Amino acid sequence: LFNYLIGKIKEEVGNFKVVSLPCCIHLATSSSFAGVYALRDRIRIHFTLDHELKNPRISKFTKMSKNRYLYSIDIKGKDEIDEELLSWLSLAYNMR
């Protein structure tokens, strides 16, 4: 699932580095645009945007500052790595 996610982001969004940290895996260009957590039965993706996003797919969000929101989405299957998710990751990628 992780490899599929990475391939789709590279194909649809752009090039980036995969940085392995003790807590998670960061996807980064000049700075991180997403974090991926490998859990037993799913992966969890964190990303930040500069606007509020309301969607039932979002399992958690935190307003970090006036214009910075941290979102969390759990992915259990390849079908959940769709255009909607990739569009959010593209926005996060381009916020650099």
Side-chain angles (χ1 to χ4, degrees):
L1 193 55
F2 175 79
N3 289 334
Y4 182 78
L5 172 68
I6 296 303
K8 291 300 284 183
I9 297 171
K10 284 188 176 183
E11 179 183 310
E12 301 286 331
V13 177
N15 285 321
F16 57 90
K17 295 180 287 187
V18 175
V19 182
S20 181
L21 300 172
C23 65
C24 61
I25 299 166
H26 279 201
L27 310 182
T29 55
S30 56
S31 63
S32 293
F33 68 92
V36 181
Y37 298 78
L39 304 172
R40 188 180 66 199
D41 62 342
R42 65 192 179 282
I43 57 175
R44 178 169 291 150
I45 303 170
H46 286 193
F47 60 93
T48 58
L49 294 178
D50 61 0
H51 61 278
E52 189 171 351
L53 182 64
K54 294 192 182 214
N55 190 291
R57 294 178 69 180
I58 297 167
S59 57
K60 181 179 176 183
F61 90 95
T62 304
K63 184 174 182 178
M64 300 175 64
S65 67
K66 182 180 177 186
N67 294 313
R68 186 74 62 185
Y69 298 84
L70 175 66
Y71 296 97
S72 178
I73 296 180
D74 288 343
I75 303 293
K76 293 183 177 182
K78 289 181 180 180
D79 60 316
E80 296 176 77
I81 301 170
D82 58 10
E83 290 302 317
E84 182 175 56
L85 175 62
L86 293 169
S87 70
W88 296 334
L89 293 173
S90 180
L91 289 171
Y93 179 92
N94 289 306
M95 278 184 48
R96 313 179 239 150

